[in-house]
Amino acid sequence: MKKVFVVLCVILLIVFVISIGVGSVFIPPLRVLKALFSLIGFKVAGVSQMDLTIIGQIRLPRIIIAMIVGMSLSVAGALVQGLYRNPVADPGIIGTSSGASLGAISCIALSLNTISIFYLPIFSFVGALGVSFLVYKLATKNGKTPILNLILIGIAVSTFISSINSLILSNINQYQVSEYIFWMLGGLDSRSWTHVKISFVPLVILILCSLIFAKRINILILGEEESYTIGVNPERLKKQLLILVSLLTGIAVSVSGAISFVGLITPHILRLIVGSDYRKLIPASILGGGIFLIVCDTIARVLFSPIEVKVGIITSIVGAPYFLYLLKKRENEVTI
């Protein structure tokens, strides 16, 4: 199993370096590495000022945001799948992402994002947390939360929120409309060191916190009665995981927009490789999520260059068919 994590680490390092070099000006991997070492303080010969400017000011902060957002959304997806014991659950499906977007759009409509950069993450978190608990409460009956109820109510609430977003859209100015489109499509263009500063440390802390829950999620998957027997309170654990998922999704979406399906695809594929033990699945999802979103962002930048496609479009093109495949596969399994 250690080989899998070593391979994932190597792949992450490779796609990180290659992605930095790809763009309107191609920079070979060796020059990228020299520039990176130079930027962190090492004396490296043969590094041009142009490479330092392109990498240090434009591409590096964007790739770091892509990596940390991909890791966060992937871990959030893995936690949701463990929380509801369903491999097709996703923060977007149960309304968490749309809640975060509603919070962000409300912040933009009130122009609070122009006062302080911290308002946007706060509103995103409040929106994600509020919608998560709303869907959870509506789907829970007699202390139980059927998966079908959860998904259907999540879809209904997300649709309702989309209507509210449309209502807000019809009453805001052109600049705010462009910000709204950013949230709807999900994009990493123009991401800067400011976005890294406000999101990197809290997301790293939250990702590390997710590792603490791995053992208890394994117990929760056994069933609620078994969890009580072993000493794990399932309802308390569910609330803790909802808060953690809301924080991960809310902060990630606040710097990237609503990027869908990352939390569905990567944990599900990695579960096929490392199994359903969350002590392995969460670390694998962290690495896999970073790899997936960096690759998607690179495709978004170069596919129709010089025109840039929003990365949320790329993840949806990949994720939507995969989600339909999973539903069809589960339907066949039930039929059999």
Side-chain angles (χ1 to χ4, degrees), residues 260-282:
S260 303
F261 292 107
V262 179
L264 169 68
I265 295 175
T266 46
H268 194 273
I269 292 176
L270 289 166
R271 183 178 282 104
L272 300 175
I273 300 172
V274 303
S276 297
D277 185 342
Y278 271 74
R279 291 171 296 182
K280 300 172 184 174
L281 181 60
I282 290 179

Side-chain angles (χ1 to χ4, degrees), residues 5 8-9 12 66-79 203-212 214 248 262-263 266-267 270 274 278-294:
F5 292 104
L8 288 173
C9 287
L12 178 60
M67 179 183 69
I68 197 68
V69 167
M71 289 177 169
S72 302
L73 295 179
S74 178
V75 170
L79 294 177
L203 286 177
V204 168
I205 293 173
L206 292 168
I207 289 170
L208 294 176
C209 286
S210 68
L211 298 169
I212 300 173
L248 281 166
V262 179
T266 46
L270 289 166
V274 303
Y278 271 74
R279 291 171 296 182
K280 300 172 184 174
L281 181 60
I282 290 179
S285 296
I286 293 170
L287 297 170
I291 294 169
F292 178 71
L293 199 54
I294 289 175

Side-chain angles (χ1 to χ4, degrees), residues 65 96-97 99-108 112-130 179 182-183 191 194-200 202-203 206 243 245-257:
I65 288 291
T96 308
S97 297
S101 294
L102 175 62
I105 292 168
S106 300
C107 180
I108 292 169
L112 294 177
N113 58 316
T114 61
I115 298 174
S116 170
I117 59 175
F118 294 104
Y119 278 117
L120 208 53
I122 291 172
F123 270 66
S124 297
F125 164 65
V126 171
L129 186 64
E179 292 289 312
F182 169 81
W183 286 106
R191 298 303 89 185
T194 300
H195 298 92
V196 176
K197 289 177 183 176
I198 65 173
S199 64
F200 187 81
L203 286 177
L206 292 168
I243 293 173
V245 168
S246 300
L247 277 169
L248 281 166
T249 308
I251 297 175
V253 171
S254 73
V255 294
S256 67

Side-chain angles (χ1 to χ4, degrees), residues 4-119:
V4 174
F5 292 104
V6 171
V7 170
L8 288 173
C9 287
V10 171
I11 293 174
L12 178 60
L13 179 61
I14 291 173
V15 298
F16 188 89
V17 172
I18 291 177
S19 180
I20 290 176
V22 172
S24 56
V25 177
F26 177 72
I27 304 175
L30 184 58
R31 278 170 51 190
V32 171
L33 288 173
K34 285 183 177 180
L36 289 176
F37 279 113
S38 179
L39 287 170
I40 59 178
F42 290 96
K43 291 183 179 180
V44 182
V47 180
S48 70
Q49 187 58 45
M50 186 178 75
D51 286 353
L52 290 176
T53 301
I54 293 174
I55 294 174
Q57 300 300 319
I58 301 173
R59 295 182 185 172
L60 185 57
R62 174 173 180 152
I63 304 306
I64 290 175
I65 288 291
M67 179 183 69
I68 197 68
V69 167
M71 289 177 169
S72 302
L73 295 179
S74 178
V75 170
L79 294 177
V80 169
Q81 289 169 12
L83 176 62
Y84 296 109
R85 287 167 279 174
N86 190 303
V88 298
D90 170 86
I93 293 173
I94 63 172
T96 308
S97 297
S98 59
S101 294
L102 175 62
I105 292 168
S106 300
C107 180
I108 292 169
L110 295 170
S111 299
L112 294 177
N113 58 316
T114 61
I115 298 174
S116 170
I117 59 175
F118 294 104
Y119 278 117

